[in-house]
Amino acid sequence: MSVYSKDRFDSIRRAITSITTDQICKPAEVIIIEDGPVAEEVEAYLSSLESSSAPITIIRLPHNRGLAHALNVGVRNTSTDWIARMDADDYSLPYRFERQVTYLESHLEVDVLGSALQEFTEPQYDHIIWGEKRLLPRSSSEISAYARFQSPVHHPTVMIRKSALLSVDGYPEDSGHFEDYQLWERMLLNGAQFANISEVLLGYRVDSGAYNRRGGWHMMRDEIALQKQFYKDGFTSRSQFIRNVIIRGLYRLVPTSIKKPLYRLRTAVKNHNTV
């Protein structure tokens, strides 16, 4: 898990509690990377965890280098065969790790395992309003086909086999806002097996600026660069490249007032087709 200066203390505390004391299946270790200096309240809290008896390690980076770099630092410092991802503003449901470990024990071929998630907002602390569920294809073949147009797993929900992650040199640090999607592309091309659990195992925070962050010229630029890389790598065909640039690229420039209902409609269609 990576934290940085804009992460809220209450959200961080909830996220960490959800993957430690609240989990039925406790993690062997928790690696938290401070991606540059954080707020004093956050630093004090993390320092208290570091000095506790819990298996928590805090790695402090002197400067903010971005999520991909922070996660690569974390990966290099893990000692387990499997790595569970977590974001600092989400929270894992108590049975998340138990469900994922049970699945992996009976599906030894899987290298990346995600799950469904459910959006939530928190207008006041401890007043959670649940929103839409997001489902994704479950089987490896469905995921491989789906990945040519959309990210095939929800990044905050995944458990990743460390050796499979390192075999593609970890997270790409030059992919703009798409470090996770480009990682999945590289792993799929390298023969990694993916799967998704249809059960919701994570609450995904959606604040007032969530849709704004999905758009703009900076996202359009990163989207086009991503699609060019996919085509260059042979991950997508020429027709898929053109489709993706038109649909995914133009979506980045649509006003938020239009983007939000479009996103809701797309989610509803995806969920229907996944059930």
Side-chain angles (χ1 to χ4, degrees):
M1 184 169 117
S2 171
V3 300
Y4 81 128
S5 60
K6 293 185 179 180
D7 288 324
R8 292 171 43 199
F9 168 67
D10 289 340
S11 301
I12 294 171
R13 182 173 58 181
R14 182 192 298 283
I16 293 174
T17 300
S18 79
I19 56 173
T20 53
T21 56
D22 287 354
Q23 280 297 309
I24 296 171
C25 177
K26 310 294 185 189
E29 63 183 9
V30 177
I31 309 294
I32 301 172
I33 306 94
E34 286 187 9
D35 189 12
V38 296
E40 290 184 10
E41 187 178 28
V42 172
E43 178 59 45
Y45 171 65
L46 296 179
S47 295
S48 71
L49 295 176
E50 195 175 25
S51 60
S52 70
S53 59
I56 296 176
T57 299
I58 313 297
I59 300 173
R60 295 171 175 84
L61 305 182
H63 307 290
N64 180 276
R65 294 278 302 276
L67 180 60
H69 178 76
L71 294 182
N72 282 333
V73 171
V75 168
R76 292 196 295 268
N77 283 275
T78 57
S79 61
T80 55
D81 295 331
W82 284 91
I83 299 171
R85 271 286 291 119
M86 184 65 187
D87 279 341
D89 56 353
D90 301 331
Y91 77 93
S92 293
L93 299 183
Y95 41 82
R96 175 192 168 185
F97 295 159
E98 179 187 53
R99 296 285 202 277
Q100 289 184 302
V101 168
T102 299
Y103 184 96
L104 292 169
E105 287 176 342
S106 60
H107 297 82
L108 301 179
E109 75 284 359
V110 172
D111 299 297
V112 179
L113 176 64
S115 79
L117 56 77
Q118 188 166 6
E119 298 177 356
F120 74 92
T121 57
E122 192 175 21
Q124 298 177 1
Y125 182 66
D126 268 350
H127 176 55
I128 291 177
I129 300 175
W130 289 102
E132 291 187 84
K133 296 180 181 179
R134 296 196 210 166
L135 308 178
L136 287 172
R138 287 168 286 188
S139 71
S140 182
S141 58
E142 292 173 320
I143 287 171
S144 180
Y146 183 86
R148 270 59 186 183
F149 183 59
Q150 296 284 343
S151 181
V153 288
H154 297 306
H155 189 203
T157 72
V158 299
M159 291 187 70
I160 311 175
R161 193 187 302 272
K162 182 178 179 179
S163 58
L165 178 58
L166 293 178
S167 70
V168 295
D169 298 324
Y171 286 86
E173 298 187 17
D174 58 352
S175 55
H177 294 81
F178 297 104
E179 67 282 325
D180 55 334
Y181 197 178
Q182 191 165 336
L183 174 64
W184 312 142
E185 179 240 12
R186 291 180 179 182
M187 294 186 75
L188 284 165
L189 289 175
N190 202 43
Q193 297 296 303
F194 284 60
N196 280 309
I197 297 174
S198 58
E199 184 177 7
V200 171
L201 299 182
L202 180 124
Y204 181 76
R205 187 183 298 273
V206 180
D207 60 26
S208 59
Y211 292 96
N212 289 331
R213 289 193 294 272
R214 294 192 180 105
W217 286 105
H218 64 293
M219 287 294 291
M220 177 70 163
R221 177 200 63 210
D222 289 352
E223 181 72 61
I224 291 175
L226 178 77
Q227 297 304 328
K228 285 182 177 179
Q229 188 64 53
F230 283 0
Y231 180 60
K232 178 182 177 181
D233 294 342
F235 187 64
T236 54
S237 66
R238 182 176 179 82
S239 60
Q240 289 170 332
F241 166 76
I242 295 172
R243 174 201 64 186
N244 293 354
V245 169
I246 293 174
I247 298 177
R248 288 178 55 91
L250 292 180
Y251 174 78
R252 305 298 175 188
L253 300 181
V254 171
T256 301
S257 59
I258 299 175
K259 186 185 282 94
K260 186 172 182 178
L262 282 177
Y263 181 80
R264 297 299 187 194
L265 176 62
R266 187 185 70 178
T267 299
V269 171
K270 287 195 297 184
N271 289 351
H272 175 77
N273 292 336
T274 303
V275 173

